Every structure is written in structure tokens, then in C-alpha cells.
């Protein structure tokens, strides 16, 4: 049999899991989006800020879809 050292892979997985937990549990609203401006994910604080229950409810939507006052986003940069 062959023995393979997976220490580096395991450490990378642990680091990624740590960052994921930090992003999700942050008190500040945080999001991820595509280069085209479509939300792909929002942490709990962001989802709650918008009045939704899950990140899936914002996925695939744009920033402007959540704004009720068009003057609030005048001059904003969005694809």
C-alpha cells in the first residue's frame, strides 16, 4: 500500500471551515456576489437586515431589488 501525507490538505480544510464560520456568524451584514452583481450568498445578519429567513431567498437577485426608495441608490455602482 501507499501512504500519503494529507496534513496540508487537512489544515487547508480546517482553515476554510474556520473562515466559513466566521463569515456566517459575523455581527455585520456580509454578502458574496457575482461579478455581474447577483447575490450568491448573504450571512445571517444580512438576510435578517432585509427581512428574509434564508440566504436562498436573496440568491440570484440584485441590490436594487431590495431598495424601495430609488433616490437612495442614485450614483451607486452596479453592473
Amino acid at each position: 500500500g501507499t501512504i500519503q501525507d494529507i496534513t496540508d490538505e487537512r489544515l487547508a480544510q480546517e482553515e476554510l471551515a474556520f473562515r466559513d464560520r466566521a463569515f456566517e456568524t459575523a455581527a455585520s451584514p456580509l454578502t458574496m456576489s457575482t461579478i455581474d452583481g447577483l447575490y450568491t450568498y448573504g450571512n445571517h445578519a444580512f438576510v435578517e437586515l432585509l427581512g428574509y429567513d434564508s440566504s436562498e431567498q436573496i440568491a440570484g437577485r440584485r441590490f436594487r431589488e431590495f431598495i424601495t426608495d430609488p433616490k437612495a441608490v442614485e450614483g451607486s455602482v452596479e453592473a
Side-chain angles (χ1 to χ4, degrees), residues 25-65:
T25 60
S28 297
L30 302 172
T31 65
M32 287 188 274
S33 62
T34 65
I35 196 155
D36 298 327
L38 296 175
Y39 288 125
T40 58
Y41 181 79
N43 71 350
H44 180 73
F46 183 78
V47 171
E48 189 175 80
L49 176 72
L50 294 177
Y52 291 94
D53 298 317
S54 72
S55 186
E56 289 80 19
Q57 293 172 296
I58 64 158
R61 298 175 68 186
R62 296 185 186 278
F63 171 74
R64 290 184 183 266
E65 293 181 49

Side-chain angles (χ1 to χ4, degrees), residues 1-22:
T2 303
I3 297 176
Q4 183 178 358
D5 184 359
I6 61 167
T7 303
D8 289 341
E9 182 180 333
R10 179 65 179 204
L11 291 173
Q13 288 174 347
E14 289 176 5
E15 178 69 18
L16 186 59
F18 173 78
R19 290 181 185 183
D20 186 52
R21 284 190 306 276

